[in-house]
Amino acid sequence: MDFADIGLAGLFGRNAFIGQALIDYGTEEGLKTIFGIGNEKSLWDTSIDFGVGGFNAGYNWLLKTSEINSSVVNFISVSNAGLRTLVSEAASPKE
């Protein structure tokens, strides 16, 4: 579990995906960043996180600007959140 993603989402909301792509913190792996602080985060992992997070932010923006009922937008966003996380985790190579 990436605790940095949870904390950044709480602080910055939909724009947190930028920080979430750059910083990871897990109990087993510790701190990993693209800047080499702690363990170095690979460019591949950063790209996957940034792509999934950017898609999520854009997707939610499109839903909110559409004329779809807000409860439908919230349901779609919540139900897809797990799928987006799964895609990000599955696409990241494990060492």
Side-chain angles (χ1 to χ4, degrees), residues 16-77:
F17 75 94
I18 297 167
Q20 290 169 332
L22 302 176
I23 301 168
D24 284 348
Y25 180 79
T27 55
E28 292 180 8
E29 298 171 350
L31 179 66
K32 293 186 348 182
T33 71
I34 190 70
F35 309 110
I37 300 169
N39 295 324
E40 188 172 336
K41 186 172 178 179
S42 74
L43 184 59
W44 173 256
D45 287 341
T46 302
S47 300
I48 292 296
D49 287 351
F50 191 77
V52 170
F55 172 80
N56 182 36
Y59 177 77
N60 283 333
W61 177 81
L62 284 173
L63 284 173
K64 288 179 182 178
T65 58
S66 68
E67 295 188 20
I68 300 173
N69 183 295
S70 64
S71 61
V72 174
V73 170
N74 289 335
F75 176 78
I76 292 170
S77 293

